[in-house]
Amino acid sequence: MTEVAFHFGAPNKLEYAGRLLRKAVGRGARLVVFGSHDLVRRLDAHLWALSPTEFLAHCVDGDPSTPRSPVVLASALHVGLPADRVLLNLSDSVPEGFDRFGRVIEVVSHDEEDRLAARGRWKHYAQQGIAIQKHDLNLKGAA
């Protein structure tokens, strides 16, 4: 069964996603990042703008390097995407096909609309019988 973890309290979703991706890839993880076309475009630009020492190899879905890249940015989940990865969901909805992945990470900002959408996603996962892990980033920042 798919594991789901919510990371609550991200001050900036894109910056947090970048840090999370660098940390995960540094530990050997391979990820698919799901979000709207606009968000994927902005995250791609953000990752390219990092300093050379922070650069993270990644590609946008459809690129020929998709199977080899440790991070694939996608605005649609389709059967061709490698499901042997962690799914990082930056969208407002539960991605159709999320259950093909062994682990899903949901990032939630302080924005009230984002928090409301996250509550809906949490409810959906809970109704599927999935045990959900909660990570409060506000508490981690205070430590």
Side-chain angles (χ1 to χ4, degrees):
M1 180 171 275
T2 301
E3 296 176 10
V4 176
F6 276 77
H7 292 214
F8 286 100
N12 180 309
K13 267 181 131 164
L14 287 184
E15 288 178 15
Y16 181 76
R19 286 192 309 273
L20 181 69
L21 290 169
R22 284 192 306 281
K23 184 176 180 181
V25 169
R27 292 182 175 172
R30 297 170 60 80
L31 301 98
V32 170
V33 182
F34 176 72
S36 68
H37 178 74
D38 179 58
L39 188 134
V40 164
R41 184 185 54 73
R42 288 186 295 131
L43 181 57
D44 183 39
H46 173 76
L47 293 174
W48 278 107
L50 296 173
S51 73
T53 59
E54 294 181 309
F55 179 74
L56 179 65
H58 68 283
C59 72
V60 176
D61 182 33
D63 185 286
S65 64
T66 295
R68 296 183 312 278
S69 181
V71 175
V72 178
L73 310 179
S75 56
L77 294 184
H78 54 81
V79 179
L81 281 172
D84 61 339
R85 298 172 182 238
V86 174
L87 176 62
L88 177 58
N89 184 25
L90 300 179
S91 77
D92 293 337
S93 61
V94 174
E96 193 167 322
F98 78 89
D99 52 350
R100 293 187 303 117
F101 297 84
R103 182 164 174 78
V104 176
I105 298 174
E106 295 274 353
V107 177
V108 185
S109 71
H110 294 292
D111 178 73
E112 190 58 31
E113 285 183 33
D114 195 34
R115 292 166 43 111
L116 286 172
R119 287 184 190 119
R121 295 192 309 274
W122 181 293
K123 184 177 179 181
H124 176 85
Y125 293 126
Q127 288 173 341
Q128 303 294 315
I130 296 172
I132 302 168
Q133 297 174 351
K134 180 181 178 181
H135 302 280
D136 189 340
L137 302 175
N138 294 315
L139 294 177
K140 288 184 179 184

